[in-house]
């Protein structure tokens, strides 16, 4: 999938950054170029901003479970959301829900 280039709208908030390991997993799942990592902010929506498709989300789910264990279950998290919740799921919410205390 074609991924958006980093923009000022997605510039990282220096007060709250995504753990580099989670950023690396997102970049890997998306098969995106390294500069795409600048788009991965706590406020970035997986769907609307990062433009992750279902195949990339499935790859991310596998990577998360391999790295952080069965508690990092992206599929279960997404299954519990309605359409609006899926559309508004952010990287920060993903990090808080699946990796509490593991990355910070």
């Amino acid at each position: 999938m074609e991924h958006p280039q980093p923009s000022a709208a997605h510039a990282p908030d220096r007060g709250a950054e995504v753990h580099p390991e989670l950023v690396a997993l997102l970049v890997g799942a998306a098969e995106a170029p390294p500069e795409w990592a600048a788009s991965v902010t706590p406020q970035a929506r997986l769907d609307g901003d990062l433009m992750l498709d279902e195949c990339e989300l499935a790859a991310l789910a596998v990577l998360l479970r391999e790295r952080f264990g069965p508690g990092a279950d992206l599929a279960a998290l997404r299954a519990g959301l309605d359409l609006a919740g899926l559309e508004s799921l952010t990287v920060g919410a993903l990090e808080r829900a699946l990796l509490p205390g593991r990355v910070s």
Side-chain angles (χ1 to χ4, degrees):
M1 166 172 244
E2 190 79 21
H3 294 286
Q5 291 298 315
S7 69
H10 299 121
D13 172 1
R14 292 291 162 209
E17 293 186 10
V18 179
H19 190 280
E21 192 168 11
L22 181 55
V23 174
L25 293 177
L26 282 157
V27 170
E31 297 181 356
E35 60 271 10
W36 183 78
S39 300
V40 181
T41 66
Q43 303 79 20
R45 294 170 296 158
L46 299 180
D47 181 24
D49 298 317
L50 300 180
M51 307 290 287
L52 297 179
D53 64 26
E54 289 301 318
C55 291
E56 292 162 335
L57 288 167
L60 178 60
V62 169
L63 292 171
L64 286 167
R65 288 183 71 127
E66 285 175 353
R67 173 58 186 94
F68 297 107
D73 192 344
L74 179 58
L77 174 66
R78 292 183 72 229
L81 299 174
D82 61 12
L83 183 57
L86 289 170
E87 290 174 347
S88 65
L89 183 60
T90 65
V91 173
L94 173 75
E95 186 172 25
R96 287 187 301 277
L98 297 184
L99 312 174
R102 292 187 223 175
V103 292
S104 53

